[in-house]
Amino acid sequence: MKKVRVGAGQGFYGDTIYGALNMAKYGNVQYICFDCLAELTMAILQKDRQKDPSKGYTKDITVTAKNLLPYVKEKGIKLITNAGGINPEGARNEVVRIAKEMGITGIRVGIATGDNIYPILDELQEKGISLADYETGEPFTKSKEEILFASAYLGAWPIVECLKQGADIVITGRTTDTAQFLAPMIYELGWAEDDWDKLALGVLLGHLMECSGQATGGNFSGDWWNIPNMENIGYPIAEVYADGTAIITKPDNTGGRVSIDTLKEQFLYEIHDPSHYVTPDVIADFSAARFEEVGPDRVQISGVKGKPKPPTLKAIMGYPNGYMGAGMIGYSWPDALKKARKVDEIIRKQIELYELKVNDIHTEYIGYNSIHGPLAHPVDEEQLNEVYVRIAVHTDTKEEAVQFGRLFPPLALNGPPFVGGLANMYTVRQLLGLWSVLIPRAEVESRVQINVEEV
């Protein structure tokens, strides 16, 4: 029976290349798939492109290409990535540049575009299509000029079309996290657009793989101390058969663990309603999914059902939402926490004294409650060796955020004794607001374009 082996190569922008390299060397896979994008990533990429119109893709595609193009050429492994971000064409140009630099020819690089709906925002509104936030119902009142980016989530089928046109490497813009992994299963196993159960299974497999090592023992809250060779953790592989049989495993010669427990932890990640998991390709029902260990580091997945795909696609718009100013200062025993709390008191009173305009303020004590927040257990303050107080504010303007940061350096001499560390007093970051909408899928999919070129 025909099967395909699809490997995970990346779980986020900045992930290590070694997981993908191990996949290429030891995974015996036909595809390596990369999930690079998050909403924050799209904002970062848009800022990159504002500085340089040739940018707007994830910069680590350079490292990916340099390391993996030889395996594309020699082993015939295909790469699928949404590293195109805001600029898939620019990402392809970079891959082609590296291929030529390395003397690699005869490979085909495809791009799928059309996720960028920024150019048609006015047109959508003229057609009477609501851009109200689909979660809150709040009407959309921003002008197009206020929007940093606007991208709809595409599914697997544009990638499938690139593969049909012979692409060895497929680069997309915004897709769902699972689309990269589902597409080769559709293409290789001949799944139809209405094979809902199989498509839903592929979505679950993609969901289990999208976060790279998080499914193979990384970030594991079970007996994490027993995960073998975590320094060389292997990324997950989906071994999928035409009849819908599916097994998750990992490459030989790698660390980590594939078990029911490690997979179930990833399975529950970012799942709101397991009986109604909406994607552009299928609405998946995971509520009866079954996990069965069928060998060392081999877990079979079954019991997944699917329902027809939704009539709309989710789109995300990003817009400037003020600035963050922050400062951090540290104290050691004795009275470390008391000193840090005094700093918080001083800063809050100075905000009023100097009439600084602050929309929101947040204080955390690193070494005491910066992670657990209000759930942190009380400690013996007299025995606390050291603590850093970090205070952050949300302001409307960059100037106000800078003014806030300037409150911290004087504390070295004007505050409690004795400052043990002073950092980030001038950190100012522009904040991003996100707006989620549902767009009739025909408005987006009619604009999708496929282009495959040979190096």
Side-chain angles (χ1 to χ4, degrees), residues 121 123-132 437-440 443:
L121 288 178
E123 178 185 333
L124 291 173
Q125 291 183 291
E126 289 169 3
K127 289 182 176 181
I129 295 171
S130 173
L131 297 182
V437 299
L438 296 177
I439 307 292
E443 298 290 341

Side-chain angles (χ1 to χ4, degrees), residues 341-384:
R341 284 176 170 153
K342 185 63 177 179
V343 165
D344 181 52
E345 177 188 330
I346 292 170
I347 292 293
R348 288 173 184 264
K349 287 183 176 179
Q350 286 181 336
I351 288 173
E352 294 183 16
L353 181 64
Y354 304 141
E355 298 181 343
L356 301 184
K357 295 178 181 179
V358 170
N359 299 327
D360 196 15
I361 184 169
H362 174 74
T363 302
E364 58 190 12
Y365 300 98
I366 299 171
Y368 171 53
N369 71 350
S370 64
I371 296 177
H372 281 169
L375 300 178
H377 292 296
V379 299
D380 183 349
E381 296 184 16
E382 297 302 320
Q383 300 303 316
L384 195 61

Side-chain angles (χ1 to χ4, degrees), residues 246-260:
I247 293 170
I248 295 288
T249 184
K250 68 179 185 68
D252 295 335
N253 303 311
T254 63
R257 179 198 299 164
V258 176
S259 70
I260 291 175

